[in-house]
Amino acid sequence: RSRGQPGFAPPPGVFASAMVDCVSNLEDRLAVDAAKIASLDIEESRPSGRARGCRLGRQRCPKKRPSTWRLIWVSAVLVLLCHSSAVVCHLWWWTRGAGLPWFYCSQRAVPLEPPNTTAVDDIRRWADGLVSRMTKAEKHSMVNGVGWLAWVQLPNYYVGNIIAIPRLGIPAINMQDAMQGFRTTDQRMIGQVTSWPCALALAATWDAGAVWEWARAVGDEFRAKGANVILGPSVNVHRSAYNGRNFEYLSGEDPHLGARLTKAYVEAVQREGVMAVVKHFAFNEQETARMTENSIVDERTAWELYYPPFEAAVEAGVGAFMCAYNRVNGTFACQNPALLQR
């Protein structure tokens, strides 16, 4: 019935016609949907639960988990690759970085002819001419040590080794520790070296003459064993009795005593043809956390208490300095301009 017209009835056949149209439209829509579904090529789900038809609509396919054996195989391949890389690196280090260069032992050596003068300018010009004749590889070898494979010292090498340049007559630099005599770094050395009194025991004598005789004998043994550089003397003035290296520091607690004994040591060792290396510059006063600790020292304290033994080494003509492991006033000693460039 129409609203507001009670008793009104539509003409006969209207409902039947509307029903036919509705069914026809529904059949058309079902046919279209069936065609769309057929075009997706839906397959029945497999036992794994993954089907190509899972992309119907906006659903994503569930990820298939890799099998345990596949994970084991991939892990084994990765481990093999890592080990192979390590082997390659070790071989390179052995042949190029740790051992001697190719054909090194077959090179013909010539004598080195130093200038017959003590003038600094003449010696500098002679050194500049020698460097100008070096190849790039030879220059690199002068700042690259050999004889170590990572932290393992190779047999028949010294603690520190700079290879020679035979064609220019430049000898090898063979460095060895130091303050109780020739350091034993190989089982074969045991019983073949002299165990000398430690430096602190010599300092307790307050006798520069005794230190001179001791250093001369140590230098003679180093030279006999082929080492031309002794990594000593250690001359840091003691600050704490707990320092683990006090036994090898020649100065004890007295900078004046340290200066007197350092001069005697340097002169005696270098008289034997062995270059002395004074260490550790500067303020290496503890072994605990020595690679990271920060020694904070003012200028007056440094010059009055800790520098005098190093000054004495310079006056005695020491061959080289070794910088310390620690930081000094916030900057590591080996890159500290206040220590190295002032």
Side-chain angles (χ1 to χ4, degrees), residues 159-175:
V159 167
N161 311 269
I162 302 295
I163 63 173
I165 303 179
R167 72 179 188 87
L168 297 178
I170 299 176
I173 299 178
N174 305 324
M175 298 169 275

Side-chain angles (χ1 to χ4, degrees), residues 255 283 297-308 311 342:
F283 315 113
V297 190
D298 63 84
E299 289 289 310
R300 181 176 179 179
T301 303
W303 286 99
E304 293 185 1
L305 293 181
Y306 296 104
Y307 285 164
E311 287 185 278
R342 183 172 54 181

Side-chain angles (χ1 to χ4, degrees), residues 11 17 30 37 49 58 61 85 91 106 115 136 154 190 227 240 281 283-284 311:
S17 175
L30 289 175
I37 293 173
R58 293 191 176 182
C61 301
S85 301
L91 288 175
S106 63
K136 187 175 182 179
L154 301 179
I190 297 177
S240 169
F281 190 67
F283 315 113
N284 189 184
E311 287 185 278

Side-chain angles (χ1 to χ4, degrees), residues 3 12 49 64 69 95 98 102 156 159-160 174 183 226 278 287 294 312 334:
R3 184 174 300 178
K64 184 179 180 180
W69 286 108
T95 58
W102 302 112
N156 305 318
V159 167
N174 305 324
R183 179 182 176 182
V278 67
E287 285 297 281
N294 183 24
C334 290

